[in-house]
Amino acid sequence: MVDARIHLYYNSIHKWRCLILEEKKLIIHPQKYTSESKVISMRLPSDMVEEVDRVAKETGRTRNEIMQLCLEFALENMVIEG
């Protein structure tokens, strides 16, 4: 079994290298955004919606809450390369 925090890659001098990645966790805090909400629409793959629904059921939260938490997590942890 491979530890999910370990990433193997082949570098430019043709040697296998091991990079230990920081384990990411979704930690749920009190609501950050408290202003008026807006309704948006987005298309998602069916299997992604099923996964969100599974997490919602498992945690006792709504689909909307899970998606908000995931978007907030992504916004706080994304790296824009360019």
Side-chain angles (χ1 to χ4, degrees), residues 35-63:
S35 63
E36 185 178 333
S37 63
K38 292 186 178 185
V39 176
I40 64 165
S41 176
M42 60 191 299
R43 293 185 187 277
L44 299 171
S46 296
D47 52 345
M48 183 182 287
V49 174
E50 291 170 7
E51 183 72 9
V52 170
D53 289 344
R54 183 193 62 76
V55 171
K57 183 177 180 182
E58 199 172 298
T59 61
R61 292 182 173 267
T62 65
R63 176 192 288 169

Side-chain angles (χ1 to χ4, degrees), residues 1-8 23:
M1 183 170 176
V2 177
D3 189 325
R5 294 172 296 166
I6 298 174
H7 175 71
L8 296 174
E23 188 173 345

Side-chain angles (χ1 to χ4, degrees), residues 21-39:
L21 304 173
E22 179 181 326
E23 188 173 345
K24 294 285 185 180
K25 294 182 181 179
L26 175 59
I27 300 170
I28 300 173
H29 298 286
Q31 288 187 350
K32 178 179 179 180
Y33 302 101
T34 58
S35 63
E36 185 178 333
S37 63
K38 292 186 178 185
V39 176

Side-chain angles (χ1 to χ4, degrees), residues 66-77:
I66 297 303
M67 293 178 75
Q68 283 181 340
L69 289 168
C70 291
L71 283 170
E72 185 176 330
F73 179 80
L75 289 169
E76 291 174 355
N77 292 284

Side-chain angles (χ1 to χ4, degrees), residues 10-26:
Y10 203 62
N11 70 8
S12 60
I13 57 172
H14 306 296
K15 291 188 178 178
W16 283 102
R17 296 288 185 206
C18 179
L19 176 66
I20 299 179
L21 304 173
E22 179 181 326
E23 188 173 345
K24 294 285 185 180
K25 294 182 181 179
L26 175 59

